[in-house]
Amino acid sequence: MARDSSRETILDRAVQIASVQGLDGLSIGGVATAVAMSKGGICAHFPSKASLQAAVVERATEIFRGAVVEPIFSRPPGLERLRALTDAWFAYLAAETFEGGCFFTNALLELDNLEEVEARGAVAGQYGRYLDLIERLAVEAIARGELRAELNPRRFAFELLSSQLGVLVWRGLGKTEEGFALARAASNDLLVRSAV
């Protein structure tokens, strides 16, 4: 099925705007200005802010999966795939795939106290799937004898994600390169400490 090019143009710009200004800061008027369309033109595709937000989260998910998740499955299962995921996440952030950094981290923190925002569930769901993926890859590596048998996969996922997110803090402090170096070292240390 062919995609509507106007809709795609709107979404491509809206996802970048939301990565910088937040999902709650996303407005039909702002997107209309950014893509040189009328508000009515935007509303023909997205009749409400909520529908625009939902579509933006869906597009961000497609982008993230294409940049970080899908490429790793060409690698052998176990530790090699886990390392590939870590490398892909750092590459995704370094490439500034989203102008505002990590779309999902920004959105999750922004929407944390807004229970009524429909997009919050979609963002949390995507984050949960990413954590589950890390955990599954750790379980695979344990089963293959590449990571220690007593390793707690959930804690491993928490620690790996924590090292990745450290880059975002350093980025906010204007120390992006140092952040990448520290985070890569911390991730590598975790993998080395966890290996058999």
Side-chain angles (χ1 to χ4, degrees):
M1 177 188 232
R3 292 189 170 201
D4 180 323
S5 63
S6 295
R7 187 177 196 278
E8 298 307 300
T9 298
I10 293 165
L11 279 177
D12 287 341
R13 191 66 221 130
V15 78
Q16 296 301 339
I17 293 168
S19 80
V20 174
Q21 297 178 5
L23 275 167
D24 201 42
L26 192 63
S27 71
I28 289 172
V31 173
T33 299
V35 296
M37 289 179 71
S38 68
K39 287 184 183 180
I42 304 297
C43 288
H45 298 282
F46 307 101
S48 67
K49 179 176 176 172
S51 66
L52 178 60
Q53 287 174 325
V56 162
V57 172
E58 187 177 321
R59 171 53 56 86
T61 299
E62 291 171 8
I63 293 168
F64 182 83
R65 286 188 58 77
V68 178
V69 178
E70 291 166 6
I72 73 164
F73 290 103
S74 65
R75 306 297 290 275
L79 191 55
E80 190 171 337
R81 194 172 284 173
L82 194 51
R83 284 189 185 281
L85 180 69
T86 302
D87 292 342
W89 193 90
F90 286 123
Y92 142 84
L93 199 59
E96 298 182 347
T97 306
F98 296 112
E99 293 169 11
C102 179
F103 178 94
F104 291 98
T105 301
N106 294 349
L108 191 67
L109 296 175
E110 171 202 1
L111 303 175
D112 187 42
N113 294 321
L114 304 177
E115 292 179 16
E116 300 305 314
V117 176
E118 204 174 303
R120 185 185 190 286
V123 169
Q126 173 57 28
Y127 230 111
R129 285 189 291 278
Y130 182 61
L131 278 168
D132 290 345
L133 174 61
I134 297 172
E135 191 172 346
R136 274 197 322 274
L137 295 178
V139 168
E140 279 181 6
I142 291 167
R144 294 171 64 84
E146 297 171 335
L147 293 181
R148 291 183 287 105
E150 70 276 11
L151 188 74
N152 180 320
R154 194 61 161 175
R155 180 171 172 176
F156 176 87
F158 176 86
E159 290 183 31
L160 185 62
L161 182 65
S162 297
S163 66
Q164 291 174 346
L165 297 184
V167 175
L168 301 174
V169 175
W170 257 245
R171 182 178 187 264
L173 295 171
K175 300 177 179 182
T176 303
E177 291 308 313
E178 181 184 6
F180 271 111
L182 290 168
R184 285 181 187 279
S187 296
N188 189 60
D189 287 350
L190 175 63
L191 289 168
V192 169
R193 283 195 323 269
S194 303
V196 172

